[in-house]
Amino acid sequence: MGADFTVTLLNGRKTDVYFLSTIKELSAKLSAYGRRVLWVFDSNSAALFTNLPANSVILPSGEKNKTFSSIEKIISAALDAHLSRDSVFIGFGGGVVCDMTAFAASVFMRGCSLILVPTTLLCMVDASIGGKSAIDFKGGKNLIGTFYPAKDVLISSACLRTLPQQEFISGMGEVIKHAFLTEDDALYDFLVKNRNAILKKDRETVSEMVNMSLRVKASYIERDPEEKLGIRQALNLGHTFAHALETTANFSIKHGIAVAWGLSRAAYCGAELGITSRELQEKIDSLLSLYSYDIPYRIGRGEWLDFYSSVGKDKKRLQGGVKFVLLEAQGRPVLRELEQNLVKSAVISAPSRIS
Ligand SMILES: NC(=O)c1ccc[n+]([C@@H]2O[C@H](COP(=O)([O-])OP(=O)(O)OC[C@H]3O[C@@H](n4cnc5c(N)ncnc54)[C@H](O)[C@@H]3O)[C@@H](O)[C@H]2O)c1
């Protein structure tokens, strides 16, 4: 079976992306990787299997387990199973499992084959392609990692059946971001037209949406595989606001939900500066409202100092300043430093444009 599409990264390394409609089709594809395989799950993704395959590691779920000690567990299991460099690591789970499996695969015997099976929407549309592997270290998110693209990414929207709705809505934040990172209105129109089916996680509709969304991400990473040319940074649209909000809220707000809010705040700043048209700002806010994100949300005045110091710590700080991604037009991102007062008005006191 041929791949649905292929992403070409650094040094011609390719990731083949396959869409599989049912768990049965997914299992058939997975069985073709043979026996020299190590499976990595977390406690929730493992529950999608009635009988776990041989050579499985089940890690506890959650970001707090994205650590060296989990990598040690993965590599120990690979050694216990007498696997070597010609073996395959399969990461089966959300972004945490996939990032860690990729990191472990990149260092095990100086690199073995990597297959990713994303089971959250966020991982399907974002973490599964692009080659970034990572673990957290000393309180810093994704501080240690490698560029190590998966050979294959297998996507089945059937895996989302058990995903909690809040996790699904979080993934939708990244999908909506992608809709505004392309000049083509196809994804935007699809999201407007199919809202109900999407929110009900209708398998075929979600699969088509993930396919369109992932192609937008692929178009950026292929042009800037190592994030050195400023092109791939566009994928951080909304993220500087989002990271600061997540930190201020002690990570009680899910990442993609913070990204949706950040997208709206970036559109506001762009419009205030005359970079983004008011029409595009309205288009962004209306789509976010259609998916019930709390766009009028503002941080309390007492949170401002914490919020702004988190903005300063954002890893996208370049040459001393923090660059925000703004939109010159749909699909035309630009990087800009923003005055403190503008950021403040965007997150504390800006009037909502939603009527
Ligand atoms: N590598 C990249 O380019 C990249 C991009 C974006 C995000 N990330 C990383 O991804 C992580 C976030 O990913 P995430 O949102 O998938 O988080 P996650 O992996 O923690 O998954 C969220 C929750 O859903 C559970 N879960 C997963 N699949 C499930 C299923 N099918 N049914 C029920 N529960 C399920 C998980 O156990 C977890 O509790 C972060 O660590 C982030 O840094 C990486």
Side-chain angles (χ1 to χ4, degrees):
M1 185 179 84
D4 287 276
F5 68 92
T6 299
V7 188
T8 306
L9 288 158
L10 201 65
N11 303 327
R13 293 190 66 163
K14 290 183 194 309
T15 298
D16 284 333
V17 181
Y18 296 83
F19 283 85
L20 302 132
S21 335
T22 59
I23 297 280
K24 204 170 160 197
E25 276 181 40
L26 175 64
S27 306
K29 174 79 186 147
L30 284 166
S31 60
Y33 294 110
R35 287 166 175 265
R36 300 193 54 73
V37 166
L38 180 77
W39 297 74
V40 184
F41 300 95
D42 74 7
S43 43
N44 291 319
S45 64
L48 285 162
F49 273 69
T50 345
N51 297 311
L52 282 181
N55 302 342
S56 294
V57 192
I58 305 177
L59 301 168
S61 76
E63 185 74 31
K64 65 179 184 305
N65 298 299
K66 202 173 162 186
T67 58
F68 261 125
S69 106
S70 295
I71 300 299
E72 273 183 52
K73 284 183 193 151
I74 298 172
I75 290 178
S76 301
L79 292 174
D80 290 347
H82 306 291
L83 297 183
S84 53
R85 201 174 171 191
D86 62 355
S87 45
V88 179
F89 282 15
I90 300 181
F92 194 106
V96 169
V97 165
C98 287
D99 275 12
M100 287 198 294
T101 311
F103 183 66
S106 73
V107 294
F108 181 68
M109 307 274 172
R110 299 196 179 87
C112 65
S113 229
L114 172 68
I115 309 297
L116 294 179
V117 187
T119 62
T120 63
L121 179 60
L122 189 125
C123 190
M124 288 180 184
V125 299
D126 196 353
S128 63
I129 65 162
K132 285 187 186 175
S133 83
I135 54 169
D136 303 335
F137 191 63
K138 291 199 183 262
K141 218 171 163 279
N142 297 332
L143 278 193
I144 296 177
T146 50
F147 272 99
Y148 202 71
K151 183 175 154 295
D152 296 342
V153 171
L154 314 185
I155 296 180
S156 176
S157 54
C159 291
L160 299 175
R161 191 179 44 85
T162 52
L163 188 72
Q165 195 65 7
Q166 273 302 90
E167 295 291 349
F168 185 81
I169 295 292
S170 174
M172 284 303 300
E174 298 286 356
V175 174
I176 292 176
K177 178 198 78 178
H178 287 157
F180 292 104
L181 282 174
T182 168
E183 289 178 23
D184 184 346
D185 259 336
L187 177 55
Y188 170 84
D189 290 342
F190 190 87
L191 293 174
V192 172
K193 197 169 145 230
N194 295 291
R195 175 199 182 266
N196 293 346
I198 290 168
L199 291 179
K200 281 187 194 141
K201 297 196 269 186
D202 174 73
R203 275 209 322 236
E204 270 178 40
T205 315
V206 169
S207 190
E208 202 174 334
M209 173 188 83
V210 170
N211 196 328
M212 281 194 268
S213 180
L214 208 46
R215 283 171 197 259
V216 176
K217 175 161 183 181
S219 73
Y220 281 87
I221 55 183
E222 282 190 325
R223 285 179 286 146
D224 185 10
E226 275 197 294
E227 211 168 25
K228 284 187 174 157
L229 307 174
I231 298 170
R232 193 165 166 168
Q233 264 177 292
L235 295 166
N236 289 325
L237 177 62
H239 280 61
T240 305
F241 287 104
H243 290 149
L245 180 66
E246 286 177 272
T247 311
T248 312
N250 260 329
F251 295 92
S252 59
I253 300 177
K254 295 209 177 297
H255 176 67
I257 293 174
V259 168
W261 182 78
L263 173 59
S264 162
R265 300 303 77 217
Y268 166 85
C269 291
E272 287 297 297
L273 293 170
I275 293 173
T276 307
S277 69
R278 290 287 176 197
E279 290 72 27
L280 179 54
Q281 186 196 359
E282 301 252 354
K283 187 172 173 181
I284 291 172
D285 280 350
S286 328
L287 185 60
L288 291 167
S289 305
L290 186 67
Y291 280 84
S292 306
Y293 291 102
D294 187 2
I295 296 315
Y297 178 81
R298 298 292 179 267
I299 63 164
R301 287 193 175 271
E303 292 170 307
W304 166 248
L305 287 180
D306 271 358
F307 184 93
Y308 200 65
S309 93
S310 305
V311 167
K313 283 184 205 140
D314 197 86
K315 63 180 180 230
K316 287 172 290 299
R317 181 192 277 270
L318 288 175
Q319 292 161 354
V322 178
K323 306 266 185 183
F324 289 75
V325 183
L326 303 180
L327 288 175
E328 250 174 14
Q330 185 175 318
R332 290 209 345 243
V334 286
L335 297 176
R336 288 280 187 282
E337 285 181 32
L338 297 181
E339 297 282 341
Q340 180 173 339
N341 277 344
L342 178 58
V343 176
K344 194 170 183 178
S345 74
V347 302
I348 295 183
S349 55
S352 166
R353 294 194 55 81
I354 303 164
S355 49

